[in-house]
Amino acid sequence: MATSKEYAYYIKGNKLAIVQKDWTFSGGQTISQPGLNDVGQTGALLWKSPKDSVADGLEIQYAYSPSYFINETDKVDTQIDTYVSTGGLLKLIDNGDNDYSASPESLSDGSYIVLRKAGKWNGLHKVKAAGTGYITLYTKCSDSSTVQQAFEETPELYYNINFLDSETDELDIPRYLSNAVVQYVKAKYAEDAGEIEMREYFMREFRRTTEKYQSGRKMGSYRIQGFNLMR
């Protein structure tokens, strides 16, 4: 008979760390909290790195709230060769003659780029200065060496970035879900004003809209089975 396993997660850096419930006092403990064990006895509930393999995998439902969007994923620069620390900041080096302050990149102070396949430098970066053969970022680089360091792979640099830092930014969500956003905001306004019934009304509409949108994304047909007493 298969035994059930209980899993949880916590945020570790920019990753999800998966842990498994375990009541035995052995090595590998990651999180401990008081609770009841499986037979109702008081003990220490231990969460550890998963000890068993999961044949059918794990399904995690989460809400993703991005801070930026890559407007054009087909426009990518692969000419960055090395990097170096300059004044404690990360500097990307292109040994060619590409001018990153000119079109199409047109980078300047305050612009944003996204790096991929760049090892520990993957992610969003803010530009301090750009010119022929280099991009200086506001990203801290503690490497004291002035020798240029090579990347393990050829980095991909995306430069057409929409960073969400203003109320005028547009959220990349479907038109139908934008109605749900309005309903949620109205619910919060009603909550602040003490209008509990109005708040509950808008939250019901919010949930109905999001559930209807999610169900509309399911593939295949829906089947309804009746019975002989239906008229």
Side-chain angles (χ1 to χ4, degrees), residues 184-214:
Y184 183 84
V185 172
K186 288 183 177 180
K188 288 302 178 180
Y189 272 119
E191 181 178 350
D192 292 340
E195 299 288 344
I196 303 303
E197 292 185 1
M198 188 65 68
R199 184 258 185 196
E200 292 299 322
Y201 168 76
F202 283 118
M203 286 303 297
R204 284 196 302 269
E205 291 299 303
F206 166 75
R207 297 188 187 97
R208 183 183 64 84
T209 302
T210 53
E211 290 172 0
K212 187 175 181 179
Y213 172 78
Q214 189 64 28

Side-chain angles (χ1 to χ4, degrees), residues 17 24 27 47 67 71 116 174 192 199 210 225:
T24 60
W47 294 98
S67 59
N71 293 325
R116 291 180 178 172
D192 292 340
R199 184 258 185 196
T210 53
Q225 180 177 357

Side-chain angles (χ1 to χ4, degrees), residues 72-218:
E72 297 174 292
T73 56
D74 58 329
K75 292 186 177 181
V76 54
D77 180 274
T78 57
Q79 300 183 63
I80 295 296
D81 303 301
T82 58
Y83 68 91
V84 69
S85 176
T86 302
L89 300 179
L90 178 63
K91 185 177 183 179
L92 306 177
I93 306 297
D94 172 10
N95 292 323
D97 57 355
N98 187 30
D99 187 357
Y100 289 94
S101 64
S103 180
E105 290 88 353
S106 301
L107 298 177
S108 60
D109 187 10
S111 300
Y112 288 89
I113 64 171
V114 169
L115 290 177
R116 291 180 178 172
K117 297 184 180 180
K120 63 181 179 180
W121 303 116
N122 284 338
L124 180 71
H125 300 271
K126 187 176 181 179
V127 175
K128 179 181 175 71
T132 301
Y134 75 94
I135 304 174
T136 303
L137 307 172
Y138 281 103
T139 304
K140 299 293 183 181
C141 182
S142 59
D143 189 352
S144 59
S145 174
T146 58
V147 179
Q148 297 181 19
Q149 306 291 322
F151 292 94
E152 296 181 359
E153 300 180 81
T154 301
E156 296 179 347
L157 186 152
Y158 296 87
Y159 47 85
N160 191 353
I161 308 300
N162 178 22
F163 180 63
L164 303 179
D165 59 350
S166 172
E167 293 183 356
T168 60
D169 288 320
E170 294 185 6
L171 298 178
D172 187 18
I173 60 175
R175 178 67 181 86
Y176 190 81
L177 282 183
S178 64
N179 296 327
V181 174
V182 173
Q183 292 159 357
Y184 183 84
V185 172
K186 288 183 177 180
K188 288 302 178 180
Y189 272 119
E191 181 178 350
D192 292 340
E195 299 288 344
I196 303 303
E197 292 185 1
M198 188 65 68
R199 184 258 185 196
E200 292 299 322
Y201 168 76
F202 283 118
M203 286 303 297
R204 284 196 302 269
E205 291 299 303
F206 166 75
R207 297 188 187 97
R208 183 183 64 84
T209 302
T210 53
E211 290 172 0
K212 187 175 181 179
Y213 172 78
Q214 189 64 28
S215 63
R217 301 181 65 186
K218 294 181 180 179

